[in-house]
Amino acid sequence: MAMGFAGEGLVGSSSRRASGFMDVWNEPADAFRRSREVVDEEEELRWAAIERLPTYDRVRKGLLKQVVEDGKVVHNEIDLKHMGRQEKKHLADMIQKFVDEDNEKFLRTVKERVDRVGIESPTIEVRYEHLSVEGNVHVGSRALPTLLNATMNAIEATLGLVRIAPSKKRQINILQDISGIVKPSRMTLLLGPPASGKTTLLLALAGKLDKDLKVTGKITYCGHEFNEFVPQRTCAYISQHDLHNGEMTVRETLDFSGRCLGVGTRYDMLAELSRREKEAGIKPDPEIDALMKSTAMEGQETTVITDYVLKVNTYIGATMTTMHHRTIADGGKYFGALFFSLLNVMFNGMAELAMTVFRIPVFHKQRDFLFYPPWAYGLPIWVLRIPLSFVESAIWIILTYYTIGFAPAASRFFRQFLAYFCIHQMALGLFRFLGAVGRTLVVANTIGISTLLLVFVLGGFIIAKAMVGFSLLFNVLFVLALTYLNPFGDSKAIIPDDNNDPKKNKPLSAQAVEGAQRRGMVLPFQPLSLAFNHINYYVDMPAVSR
């Protein structure tokens, strides 16, 4: 019995020791498993809290997984509408991870999430039926962009309005009775030789053809014609020479375009996606969910889509001599100094002309895409130039007023400052308007210098109240010019006038004699053309290879 008890005790003791020994080795694995369970439980609780929110709040909340300094994984609930710098950086790092690992897998994961609840992504099918485009163009040397041709074209157009002289333009068919379908979810390649009408077809499909072209046929987007929707909100034609603001970085350009165009239907689709997932009890991947929600938030200064796209793809100085106040001639010097100062301040406003001409092509593109109305472009320019006028006028009067020796009274000082300010504002508005009317640097500079000379000749009286009125008038005219004027340019191709070419009308014998007089080899035969029709080519494969 004693031995038996002793043996049982020995066995029990050995079993406990063995069990304790095994626990030592198994404890880390169990600890990791328990840690993962705690993390998963925390994630489930935070996600359940988000799921209980209304749809409006639910689509604005997300979970971000972060690793703190001690190595612990935590899930933080963030407001995607008002993200801080750290949250945005974390999202950018997530995008970098997805792109570096497998971008196609990331895109497929997003698509599978949408398809899982039965939501179909919006697609567009473009159809064009019996589309024809005709235009009236000059041919031969009249189509060259010379000064003489431009003058003759203007005179001819003026006489044509009153039907005094007939037009010498020739009617050509750019596109003739073509039909086709552009299927959705596909990339369509359009090939053709130069001047075959590729650009005209794309412009016609985008609804951006010139108004002087005659268009017949039918173009529909999912069965709807152009008069049933706004094509600029649905499609865009991007030429090989795109226009952007040179002062803006690539990120700023993309963010600006995104804010102007908005999020479209992404928010509505995401709200429906969240609702269906909640009803079906489906829990999405928190990182994918946060990224998709962040792309549907309006009013963001910088967007995740921009990060994704970027990842994938005077010195002044003057010296004066002291002037006196004793004679009339001294007074003339002060008047001369005042007049020179006013002209200098006004001439400084001419820089607005070049800046307006430089930026107006980008405005015309964005106006045609309905980014914003013209007044929304003109009003900020006017308002933002007010501090510039204030600073320039202040710097000039501080450097010159007491140095020249004008009246030391403070009231006189501020009156002259007000005159400078009003003149500068009026000049900015004037040259801004002339730049919008000229639209090209050559035309705008010609008009601007002529206007400046006219002011120099007829100027001499300063009326402060009138300057305020002129400033308002010129800025209003600037907005009207932006609204109704289109950029210069003629995109029509140059067509040679073979009928008027004397070389083409010569007989073959005369051409041969003329060719013999020139250096080089002359072919002893007349070149002929060879045509093929209804040719079939095939290879009969052996039966073993079929």
Side-chain angles (χ1 to χ4, degrees):
M1 294 292 294
M3 290 295 295
F5 284 119
E8 292 177 3
L10 181 61
V11 173
S13 176
S14 300
S15 300
R16 286 192 296 272
R17 285 197 298 271
S19 175
F21 181 75
M22 295 300 296
D23 289 343
V24 171
W25 287 99
N26 293 333
E27 184 175 357
D30 293 340
F32 288 137
R33 179 172 57 82
R34 288 194 298 269
S35 177
R36 286 195 299 269
E37 290 176 354
V38 171
V39 172
D40 293 341
E41 183 179 356
E42 178 187 0
E43 180 182 345
E44 292 290 341
L45 291 175
R46 289 186 177 274
W47 184 257
I50 294 178
E51 287 293 307
R52 288 193 295 268
L53 295 174
T55 303
Y56 180 83
D57 297 328
R58 190 166 65 251
V59 296
R60 285 168 167 76
K61 300 292 184 180
L63 289 181
L64 283 183
K65 182 172 64 176
Q66 296 180 346
V67 180
V68 295
E69 295 179 356
D70 57 357
K72 183 180 178 181
V73 179
V74 297
H75 291 81
N76 295 328
E77 178 182 327
I78 62 170
D79 185 355
L80 296 169
K81 181 70 175 179
H82 305 92
M83 288 190 295
R85 181 178 300 177
Q86 293 297 328
E87 287 82 2
K88 292 181 179 179
K89 182 179 182 301
H90 188 67
L91 282 177
D93 294 340
M94 288 169 52
I95 294 175
Q96 181 68 46
K97 181 188 70 172
F98 289 138
V99 173
D100 291 342
E101 292 179 355
D102 194 341
N103 185 51
E104 183 180 357
K105 180 181 178 182
F106 164 65
L107 297 177
R108 289 186 179 276
T109 303
V110 174
K111 185 177 185 301
E112 290 172 359
R113 180 190 178 188
V114 176
D115 295 340
R116 188 166 47 191
V117 293
I119 295 180
E120 296 183 1
S121 300
T123 58
I124 297 177
E125 181 182 81
V126 182
R127 292 175 177 262
Y128 49 99
E129 302 175 4
H130 306 291
L131 180 63
S132 299
V133 178
E134 298 177 355
N136 296 324
V137 297
H138 291 288
V139 298
S141 60
R142 276 296 303 273
L144 297 176
T146 62
L147 181 60
L148 178 61
N149 286 340
T151 305
M152 294 178 62
N153 293 341
I155 297 174
E156 181 181 305
T158 303
L159 297 178
L161 293 176
V162 294
R163 301 184 181 277
I164 296 179
S167 176
K168 296 183 179 180
K169 293 183 178 180
R170 182 181 300 177
Q171 184 175 359
I172 63 170
N173 295 324
I174 305 174
L175 301 176
Q176 186 172 4
D177 196 21
I178 61 173
S179 301
I181 302 175
V182 180
K183 291 289 186 179
S185 303
R186 294 184 182 179
M187 181 177 292
T188 303
L189 177 63
L190 181 62
L191 294 176
S196 61
K198 301 184 299 298
T199 302
T200 303
L201 175 58
L202 294 177
L203 289 172
L205 297 181
K208 291 185 65 63
L209 280 176
D210 292 340
K211 302 300 183 182
D212 56 349
L213 296 177
K214 181 181 179 181
V215 182
T216 59
K218 184 179 181 181
I219 300 176
T220 59
Y221 279 60
C222 297
H224 299 277
E225 298 187 21
F226 284 152
N227 57 357
E228 301 179 41
F229 67 100
V230 182
Q232 290 84 353
R233 293 290 189 184
T234 307
C235 62
Y237 171 76
I238 307 299
S239 66
Q240 56 186 344
H241 300 291
D242 202 7
L243 299 173
H244 299 286
N245 286 314
E247 296 87 350
M248 299 173 65
T249 64
V250 177
R251 176 183 295 276
E252 291 171 344
T253 301
L254 294 175
D255 286 333
F256 174 74
S257 301
R259 293 192 67 179
C260 288
L261 295 177
V263 298
T265 60
R266 290 197 297 269
Y267 179 84
D268 297 332
M269 187 191 73
L270 191 62
E272 181 65 18
L273 175 63
S274 179
R275 185 186 65 81
R276 293 190 183 187
E277 286 180 340
K278 182 179 179 181
E279 293 177 353
I282 300 175
K283 177 193 172 186
D285 182 88
E287 294 181 342
I288 300 295
D289 179 72
L291 284 175
M292 292 182 66
K293 288 179 178 178
S294 62
T295 62
M297 297 295 106
E298 290 185 343
Q300 298 293 321
E301 184 176 353
T302 59
T303 63
V304 178
I305 295 180
T306 301
D307 294 327
Y308 179 76
V309 173
L310 292 177
K311 294 294 182 183
V312 177
N313 312 301
T314 271
Y315 174 74
I316 299 178
T319 56
M320 296 289 179
T321 57
T322 302
M323 296 195 299
H324 302 283
H325 307 77
R326 294 188 292 266
T327 63
I328 297 179
D330 294 335
K333 294 179 181 179
Y334 283 101
F335 273 108
L338 179 60
F339 184 70
F340 173 79
S341 298
L342 291 173
L343 290 184
N344 183 76
V345 171
M346 184 175 180
F347 187 79
N348 288 341
M350 196 172 181
E352 191 74 4
L353 185 144
M355 296 175 64
T356 302
V357 173
F358 179 73
R359 294 170 178 165
I360 205 167
V362 182
F363 163 76
H364 284 147
K365 184 194 79 167
Q366 296 174 349
R367 181 197 65 181
D368 294 341
F369 286 158
L370 302 183
F371 274 23
Y372 43 76
W375 65 263
Y377 176 84
L379 183 60
I381 295 178
W382 180 15
V383 174
L384 292 176
R385 295 300 187 273
I386 293 178
L388 177 65
S389 300
F390 185 92
V391 172
E392 284 200 18
S393 302
I395 292 175
W396 182 261
I397 196 172
I398 289 173
L399 293 176
T400 61
Y401 187 85
Y402 291 104
T403 305
I404 294 175
F406 287 109
S411 59
R412 295 292 186 92
F413 176 89
F414 287 107
R415 285 182 182 179
Q416 192 173 126
F417 171 78
L418 180 61
Y420 289 170
F421 177 84
C422 293
I423 283 287
H424 194 264
Q425 274 290 296
M426 184 274 298
L428 290 178
L430 171 63
F431 291 113
R432 194 180 303 131
F433 164 63
L434 295 179
V437 172
R439 287 162 285 177
T440 62
L441 200 58
V442 175
V443 177
N445 278 333
T446 303
I447 300 175
I449 294 176
S450 301
T451 304
L452 197 61
L453 292 176
L454 185 64
V455 173
F456 288 174
V457 173
L458 302 180
F461 298 94
I462 302 173
I463 306 175
K465 295 181 179 179
M467 291 299 102
V468 177
F470 280 127
S471 178
L472 292 172
L473 175 63
F474 291 139
N475 281 283
V476 171
L477 293 176
F478 170 62
V479 174
L480 293 177
L482 294 178
T483 304
Y484 296 105
L485 296 183
N486 294 318
F488 292 123
D490 191 359
S491 60
K492 301 179 180 63
I494 299 176
I495 300 176
D497 191 6
D498 297 336
N499 297 330
N500 297 329
D501 191 354
K503 296 182 180 180
K504 298 292 183 179
N505 298 328
K506 289 182 179 180
L508 294 177
S509 58
Q511 295 183 19
V513 172
E514 183 180 351
Q517 295 175 356
R518 297 193 302 265
R519 296 182 61 184
M521 183 180 68
V522 179
L523 295 177
F525 56 87
Q526 180 179 355
L528 301 176
S529 61
L530 186 63
F532 297 92
N533 190 21
H534 300 298
I535 294 179
N536 297 324
Y537 175 81
Y538 65 93
V539 177
D540 191 7
M541 300 295 295
V544 179
S545 302
R546 291 181 180 175

